[in-house]
Amino acid sequence: EEATGIALSRHPRDSYFIATKMSNHRLYGAGLRGKELQEASVKMYQDSFKHLRTDYFDYYLFHILGTGKGMEEMRGRLYDCGIADFILKEKEAGRIRKLGFSFHGDVRVFDYMLQESGIPWDFVQIQLNYLDWRHASGINVNAEYLYSELAKRNIPAVIMEPLLGGRLSKVHDHIVNKLKQREPEQSVASWAFRFAGSFPNVLTVLSGMTYMEHLQDNLCTYSPLHPLSDDEFVFLQETADLMVQYQTIPCNDCKYCMPCPYGIDIPAILLHYNKCINEGNMPRNGHDENYHKARQAFLIGYDRSVPRLRQASHCIGCNQCSPDCPQGINIPKEMQRIDHFVERLKQNLMYKL
């Protein structure tokens, strides 16, 4: 917020939109309740004004509702401490122009927010992409249901994770070939962006961009956007059906699990594992024709991607990470599984996933 506030302060306030959020889930997780949680949440809200150098927010969200303890946590964060009433009064005062929430996890929270909260939501942020449309994994809910519930109520949608944290731009080689045969000139990522942007009443699609070519590809996809045809929509659903056969770990590299108190680089470990699956370098057993090549690629790539002191072997199973994972990954279990897999590879034992 502070860096953004400095950058935007040189431009007229009516030339851009600001969206930020009430991220008091960490305060709740730290044990704050009631008045103490309200005071800390109000301070967070007021600090956002200072950092962003503004006197109003165009879009404000209750962040990451549905995770943790689901309904109990939602009530504790919003209602039991009075922060929901405070934020609604701020909206009435004009300091918040549009109010919404972002959703992960327990669908009961999503349904309650829409059906029983009594709050007239201006927008809702949901995870939507062509894999999660009908194949949501972990604690996530199929996007087909989430979007349809918003559409019934004419509530605009903000789309997060159009690329599933980059996973839909780094798919299995068989999937790449399938997409390229259909549209040789389109990038793999552009299919996912077109899917997310093709639905009516989508307010905006959030995209994480690391390199200039990512920005350029996004601009090419959306300027102008060519919505998916019915045939292309069916094609992407067939692609998603094929993708679920390749069992990658649903890590989006959001880094909510970090820092690990024991120094483990959790996202790097999971991303390397997924990369090897997508590139066909997953050694399965000693009778496979490419076993030795795949074994070498996995082990060498593992050491290059993750320093040894930060590898899965150092996980003690404290489970401080899993409650913060929006994808609901049982991280200690995956660390143990990958460590066991790596040790068997090092011993050059036959291994079958």
Side-chain angles (χ1 to χ4, degrees):
E1 287 181 340
E2 198 162 1
T4 301
I6 293 169
L8 292 178
S9 63
R10 34 187 118 139
H11 303 285
R13 180 62 182 88
D14 60 1
S15 67
Y16 55 84
F17 297 108
I18 289 179
T20 192
K21 54 201 179 184
M22 171 61 65
S23 301
N24 66 352
H25 60 293
R26 293 192 182 277
L27 300 173
Y28 184 91
L32 274 64
R33 299 291 187 274
K35 185 178 180 181
E36 190 178 19
L37 178 59
Q38 183 192 44
E39 291 174 351
S41 299
V42 170
K43 183 180 186 303
M44 176 182 290
Y45 172 79
Q46 293 172 339
D47 285 346
S48 292
F49 282 105
K50 296 174 187 175
H51 296 158
L52 287 163
R53 304 185 181 195
T54 186
D55 55 6
Y56 70 92
F57 300 131
D58 299 282
Y59 298 91
Y60 198 77
L61 301 90
F62 292 113
H63 183 43
I64 202 168
L65 298 186
T67 55
K69 295 182 178 180
M71 290 289 289
E72 177 187 339
E73 182 165 325
M74 177 275 292
R75 289 193 176 102
R77 287 177 51 197
L78 269 60
Y79 296 104
D80 295 347
C81 68
I83 199 65
D85 287 338
F86 170 82
I87 291 297
L88 286 171
K89 289 176 182 176
E90 288 295 290
K91 188 181 182 222
E92 290 175 7
R95 287 182 282 273
I96 294 172
R97 303 294 168 85
K98 304 286 186 181
L99 180 63
F101 68 92
S102 63
F103 169 74
H104 289 275
D106 189 341
V107 72
R108 294 176 302 165
V109 173
F110 181 80
D111 291 339
Y112 179 88
M113 289 290 105
L114 296 188
Q115 299 170 17
E116 300 180 51
S117 70
I119 298 176
W121 301 107
D122 299 303
F123 68 100
V124 176
Q125 185 171 308
I126 59 172
Q127 181 165 314
L128 184 150
N129 52 72
Y130 66 81
L131 186 60
D132 280 332
W133 186 247
R134 292 177 183 151
H135 296 290
S137 59
I139 64 172
N140 289 318
V141 179
N142 283 347
E144 183 178 28
Y145 174 78
L146 301 178
Y147 175 79
S148 66
E149 289 300 301
L150 296 180
K152 285 178 191 175
R153 298 165 174 80
N154 199 32
I155 299 174
V158 171
I159 305 305
M160 59 181 163
E161 302 294 353
L163 291 180
L164 261 179
R167 287 168 57 207
L168 296 185
S169 64
K170 302 169 185 174
V171 296
H172 195 282
D173 288 350
H174 292 321
I175 305 297
V176 174
N177 293 336
K178 179 179 173 68
L179 296 174
K180 287 296 184 180
Q181 285 174 4
R182 179 83 181 222
E183 289 288 349
E185 301 303 316
Q186 281 192 33
S187 70
V188 172
S190 69
W191 281 101
F193 283 129
R194 288 181 63 210
F195 182 89
S198 292
F199 295 93
N201 219 14
V202 166
L203 184 63
T204 191
V205 177
L206 307 179
S207 169
M209 296 171 282
T210 307
Y211 304 108
M212 180 58 72
E213 52 264 34
H214 295 168
L215 174 60
Q216 292 168 340
D217 187 38
N218 287 1
L219 290 172
C220 288
T221 302
Y222 283 110
S223 304
L225 171 69
H226 298 289
L228 292 176
S229 65
D230 291 342
D231 183 56
E232 287 175 320
F233 183 89
V234 171
F235 168 72
L236 280 184
Q237 287 310 296
E238 292 172 348
T239 303
D241 292 341
L242 183 59
M243 287 178 67
V244 296
Q245 299 177 25
Y246 302 103
Q247 293 300 317
T248 55
I249 300 168
C251 173
N252 292 351
D253 196 23
C254 66
K255 296 183 174 60
Y256 283 12
C257 58
M258 298 293 280
C260 167
Y262 295 91
I264 299 168
D265 193 339
I266 298 166
I269 294 167
L270 300 181
L271 292 176
H272 173 70
Y273 183 87
N274 287 346
K275 179 175 181 287
C276 288
I277 290 179
N278 288 333
E279 293 179 353
N281 286 327
M282 183 54 69
R284 295 181 181 272
N285 66 65
H287 297 299
D288 286 349
E289 183 178 343
N290 71 333
Y291 172 80
H292 294 290
K293 180 182 177 183
R295 172 183 176 271
Q296 184 179 33
F298 189 99
L299 291 176
I300 291 175
Y302 189 45
D303 284 342
R304 287 177 176 172
S305 301
V306 190
R308 294 205 173 187
L309 289 176
R310 307 195 70 188
Q311 292 181 0
S313 58
H314 294 278
C315 177
I316 68 161
C318 71
N319 203 35
Q320 290 192 36
C321 45
S322 294
D324 287 328
C325 177
Q327 306 304 317
I329 301 170
N330 185 333
I331 295 172
K333 180 180 178 181
E334 296 295 352
M335 292 295 105
Q336 184 181 42
R337 184 171 70 87
I338 292 172
D339 179 46
H340 182 60
F341 177 59
V342 169
E343 287 306 310
R344 290 182 66 86
L345 284 182
K346 287 179 178 178
Q347 296 171 35
N348 204 15
L349 297 173
M350 287 192 303
Y351 192 95
K352 187 172 184 180
L353 290 177

